[in-house]
Amino acid sequence: MSGMADLRPMRAFALSDKGRVRAENEDNFLSKPHMGLFAVADGMGGHAAGATASAVVVDSLSRVAPQSAAAELRRQCEAALQGAHRDIQRQASLRGVGTMGSTVVMLLTFDRYYACLWAGDSRAYLLRGGDIVQITIDHTEAEQLLADGVLTPEEARNWPRRNVITRAVGAGETLALDFVNGELFEGDMLVLCSDGLTGHVTAAEIAGLASGRAPEEACRALIDLALARGGTDNVTVLVAAYRQQEEEPTRLRPGREESRETTRPR
């Protein structure tokens, strides 16, 4: 990742819904196209602990200042997540909560390059030319057993503990983030989402609904499909499209939490 600091050719939109079953939305998101910083966080812990944990993640990242070099932006964001990790642990101790944490999937863009860092099972997909690739690997028990050859893909999809995550911000002594990066090409789209989407919508369906659409339209279509299929979890989708044109303003609609450039309202 390299380039000039003012080159942030991304148009983005994010949308979050508590779903049909959950009483509270424990997801959060951050969208800052002007500095190439995007994130989705899915909290866990119950009794408002999950919502607090994901808010700590997003609030920590929201305080990162624009940087003139890609490497420094990554370093500052990683430091923010490490700080969030410690803060969540402190809050869990004060509350007497045994389990409190949050997944995070973070996208950084700089000129025509991207980097993705994550912990947990919130995902990032890259759409290019109608094709879709999942660029993150879930940090779950099922994914690890699949990688070890213990489970087949079919068995992993139906594994009773398939939703048990092995990494999260705030969980464990240390926070380990995985990292992937690459080059962006005109027309590329990146989709960040919580498992409330992927629990109901396949990768092929994500590609079909998002490809060729504006980020706002893509977000709405994806969340509407997840809700139509039961909406059993909170669902959050952020779509960022690589383009050179300036994004147009939009009005927020009541009833859902959505944004082009902000944290999720709480």
Side-chain angles (χ1 to χ4, degrees), residues 52-53 56 81-102 168-175:
T52 298
V56 168
L81 290 176
Q82 294 294 342
H85 183 74
R86 295 187 294 271
D87 191 8
I88 292 170
Q89 290 180 326
R90 284 192 295 269
Q91 293 201 38
S93 178
L94 289 171
R95 292 171 178 233
V97 177
T99 301
M100 182 175 175
S102 176
V169 185
E173 185 175 343
T174 60
L175 172 63

Side-chain angles (χ1 to χ4, degrees), residues 44-56:
M44 60 183 187
H47 304 292
T52 298
S54 65
V56 168

